[in-house]
Amino acid sequence: MEPIVFRQWSNKKYAVLASFHKVIRIATLSLAYSLVQGQPVNAQSDTVSPKLFYDLEEVEAVGEQEAELYSPLLRQLLLIKQDQLELSSSQSIADILDFYPGIDIRTRGVNGIQSDINIQGGSFDQTLVLLNGIDMSNPQTGHFSLDLPVQPAMAHQLEILKGPGSKKYGLSAYTGAINLVTRPADSLGIRMEASYGTFNTWQTSSTLNFPVGNSRNMLAGSISGSDGYTSNTDYGNANLYFHSAASNDLVDTDLMLGWNRKAFGANAFYTPLFPEQYEETGSWLAALKFASKIPALKLDGHVYWKRHNDHFLLFRNNPSVYENYHQTDALGVAAGTKLSTGLGLTLIKAQYRHERIYSTTLGDPLEQPVAVKGSDDAFYSRHKGRDHLTLSTDHLFNIGKVYMSTGLLLHAGIDELAGPAIYPGVDVSYMFNDQFSIFASGNRSMRLPTFTDLYYEGPQNRGNPELLPETALTFETGLKYVTAGIRGDLALYYRKGKGTIDWIWTDSLWQTRNLTDLDTYGGETGVTFFPSRFLNSATLFDQLRISYSYTELNKSSDSLISNYALDNLKHKLILETRLLLPWNLYVHGKISRQERNGAFLYYETPSSTPVETAYEPYWLMDINAGIRLKRITVYVNMTNVLNTFYRDIGSVVMPGRWTIAGIKFR
C-alpha cells in the first residue's frame, strides 16, 4: 500500500486522516501510523487500534473513535456519536441512555426534569457526571447530577464508562462515569429544532457555530414546557450554553459557560403523602481547560466553578407550611502532565476540589443566618464545607498484543470524613487480531456521603451525620468482537462493597445508614448487525441490535425496605431496529423489558397506611419516524406506544402513550 506523506503541519487536529484508510507518514518520522476508518458506534469502539499509547510532538491524529473519558481498548466504554443523538429526537440525555444495557434510568419527571443514572447495579450517587472531562457532580444529591445546560442536540459525543474510574477521575466514579462532550464546529452553521405534542408539550432549541480568528465558538439555547400528564406534573426548562475553543502556537484553550433553570410540579417525587410538592432548580457553570503545546512543557489542566440552587415546597400553593432552600458550590482546579519513555506513557494529575452548601436544613448551624437571594423572608441557617485533594498516576504500555494501564489515586484525607487512602487499579487487554480482543480489570473506589445523606431532615426523612464513606473493590472481564457488519461484546463483573450508603425505612422514617457488605454481580451482552455492510448490498435494515443485562445483589430486601441500593434493575432486555426507507424516510424502533428487584411503599390514599409492594416487570415500546431532506428533518416520536402502566421509582406513576412531532433545520 503506497503511503501518503505530509511534509508540513500547522498544529491542528486532522480528523480527516481517519478516512484515508492508508498508511500516514509524518515528515521523516519512521513510525508509520495506520488509521482505520471510523464508523458510527453504538455499544463499543469501532477499533482496537492502540493509538492512545503514542504521543507525537507536533500533531495529534484524531480518528472518529477518539474518547476523552477512557481508552476503549481496555474497558467497557460506550460511545454515542452526534448522528445517533440527533436520530433519537430525545430531549434528555437520560432518555438516550435508557436505550443501552447495564444502565438503569430511574425517572421521576419526564424529558430530563429529574432522572437518576445507575450503572451496573449502583445508585445514582455512585455515578460521576462530567462535562468535557470536568467533574459536574452535585455534592447536595445525585438527583441533580444531570442539571446541565447541554441538551442532546448540542452535544458532539456521549461517553459512558461502565465500572469504577477512581484512579483517573476521582472519588465519585464509584460504579461508572458519564462524559458529555461538546465541540464547536470549524465552519459557520446553525441548527434549529421545534416540537409540539401530547399534554401541550413543546420545545424549541437552536445552536449557532461561528469561527472568529483562531477560535471556534458555539452558542446554544433551548426552552421547553408541558402541562404534565397528570395533576401537578407540569414543568418548564431553559438552557443557555457557550463553548469557545481557541488555539495558538503556545496553548489550546476551551472556555465553557452555562446556565440552566427548571421549575416543575413534583407529584409524589419524594413521598406520596404530599402530592402537591413543587421544586425549582437553577445552575450556573464556568470552566476553562488548557493544554500546553510547548514540547518541553507537556502540561494540561482546568479550573471550574458550578453553583446549584434548589427551592423545594411541600405544598405548592402554601409555601409557609414547609419549604427548603439550598445553594451549593463546587470549585476545582486540576493540572497534569504526560511523560513518554521507552516504557510507555505515564499520566500524572493533581486535583483540588472545594464543596460547600448554604441551606435551611443541611449542614451545621450558622452563627449568623444568611439571606436567600430572591426571597424577602428566607434565610440560610446552616452551612457546611469540605475539601478534596487527590493525586493520580496512570501508566499505559504494551508488550506485543498485551495492553495495560496501571495506576492509583491517592486521597490526601483533608476532609474529616475520610483519612488518607490509596485506590489502585489495573486494566489489561489482549488483542488476538484486529477483530477480537479480551479484557480484564480490577479497581478500588470510594464515595463520600452527600450533604443530603448526612444532614437532611424532612417530614419522613432523617440524615445521619455519623455516616462513613462507602468503598468497593470491582473486578470485570469481557470480550469484544468487531467487524464492518457485526459487533458483539460480553462482560461480567463482581463488586464487593463495604459500608454501602442507602436510605432504609425504619420507625416510619427513611433514614440513612452504612449497610454491611453488599456484593453485586452481573453481566451484559449485546450483538449489533449492520445488514448492508454484512451483505455488501443495499437493504432496508440499517441496524439491528439485541442486548441483555443482568444484575444481582447478595443482600435480600426481605428484611430491609430500601429506597435505592437494593432496588436494582435485575433484568433488562432491549430489541432495537433502524430502517432506512425510500424517499429518505427512516424508522427507529425499540422494545424493552425491565424487571426490578426490591419494593416500594404504596399508599392507597395519602392518609392510608403504606403497604410494601414489589415492583412489577413491564414492556415498553418507543418509535421515532421521519423524513430527512437536504437541510430539514421532520419527525414523529412516540414513547410508551403500548400505553404501559409502570413505575421506575417509588410510587411515581410514569406517563402513558406520549406523541411529539417536530422539525429540525441545519
Side-chain angles (χ1 to χ4, degrees), residues 213-259:
N214 64 349
S215 69
R216 295 172 289 115
N217 306 280
M218 179 179 72
L219 179 63
S222 69
I223 53 175
S224 61
S226 176
D227 290 343
Y229 58 94
T230 189
S231 173
N232 196 37
T233 58
D234 58 303
Y235 71 84
N237 188 9
N239 301 278
L240 188 62
Y241 180 70
F242 175 73
H243 183 173
S244 177
S247 179
N248 56 40
D249 293 337
L250 300 178
V251 65
D252 289 329
T253 60
D254 287 88
L255 173 66
M256 291 151 281
L257 305 171
W259 170 80

Side-chain angles (χ1 to χ4, degrees), residues 419-494:
I422 295 176
Y423 301 91
V426 59
D427 312 306
V428 60
S429 71
Y430 180 82
M431 296 172 55
F432 290 93
N433 50 49
D434 290 341
Q435 290 79 39
F436 183 58
S437 64
I438 60 174
F439 67 91
S441 66
N443 289 272
R444 188 168 183 257
S445 58
M446 184 264 272
R447 179 183 78 86
L448 295 172
T450 65
F451 292 133
T452 298
D453 293 332
L454 292 166
Y455 301 109
Y456 189 75
E457 293 188 10
Q460 282 195 304
N461 302 80
R462 291 290 185 275
N464 181 3
E466 304 301 320
L467 285 176
L468 298 174
E470 56 185 359
T471 60
L473 182 61
T474 304
F475 300 96
E476 187 175 13
T477 185
L479 55 88
K480 303 176 183 179
Y481 179 76
V482 181
T483 66
I486 183 172
R487 302 188 187 120
D489 60 83
L490 171 68
L492 303 172
Y493 65 89
Y494 169 75

Side-chain angles (χ1 to χ4, degrees), residues 93 130-133 148 150 155 157-159 178-182:
I93 298 299
L130 306 109
L131 176 63
N132 293 315
L148 298 175
V150 181
Q157 181 168 280
L158 189 60
E159 307 170 352
I178 293 173
N179 186 30
L180 186 60
V181 180
T182 61

Side-chain angles (χ1 to χ4, degrees), residues 39-41 44 46 481-483 486-488 526-528 530 533:
Q39 303 290 347
V41 177
Q44 61 194 47
D46 280 320
Y481 179 76
V482 181
T483 66
I486 183 172
R487 302 188 187 120
V527 179
T528 305
F530 299 91
R533 305 176 197 172

